[in-house]
Amino acid sequence: MRCGNAPADMVGVERSYLMRSLYFLSWMFGIFFSTVAIGQFPTLILFVGLYLKFWGNFGWKTIAIYVTGSIVFLLVMFNEIVPVLWHEPPWLPSFFV
């Protein structure tokens, strides 16, 4: 993809770079829309698991350890130490009663 009148060797974006950027952008949109649909806490946990599987190519045992650690960290840090208001959609039951 070229921009302007500059020669191709001076200005340009490789197609593979553009595709990786669009892939990352699709992950960000997915996080946003799943936050709206299922809430912030489950989306963060889901993102940790999917990130480790698809971007890190980790095994399921490692993913389970990291997801469990993320759940514990988020619950302790953001519910007990620094209470925050999690986004929860009104059509789903609350995780934090």
Side-chain angles (χ1 to χ4, degrees):
M1 175 181 286
R2 290 188 53 197
C3 185
N5 296 330
D9 61 340
M10 296 185 81
V11 176
V13 177
E14 294 180 19
R15 183 171 172 79
S16 63
Y17 182 75
L18 181 63
M19 294 308 291
R20 288 184 58 84
S21 298
L22 291 175
Y23 181 67
F24 178 76
L25 187 62
S26 68
W27 274 86
M28 294 300 105
F29 279 122
I31 289 171
F32 174 76
F33 290 121
S34 65
T35 298
V36 172
I38 64 173
Q40 191 174 9
F41 186 78
T43 297
L44 289 171
I45 301 305
L46 185 67
F47 177 74
V48 168
L50 291 175
Y51 178 85
L52 290 171
K53 185 61 182 168
F54 290 107
W55 286 45
N57 294 323
F58 286 97
W60 289 111
K61 183 178 178 182
T62 305
I63 293 172
I65 292 169
Y66 273 91
V67 165
T68 304
S70 297
I71 291 171
V72 169
F73 174 77
L74 289 171
L75 287 176
V76 170
M77 184 66 179
F78 296 112
N79 276 357
E80 302 299 326
I81 298 174
V82 182
V84 296
L85 181 62
W86 294 98
H87 170 71
E88 296 178 320
W91 55 84
L92 291 177
S94 176
F95 285 103
F96 312 105
V97 177

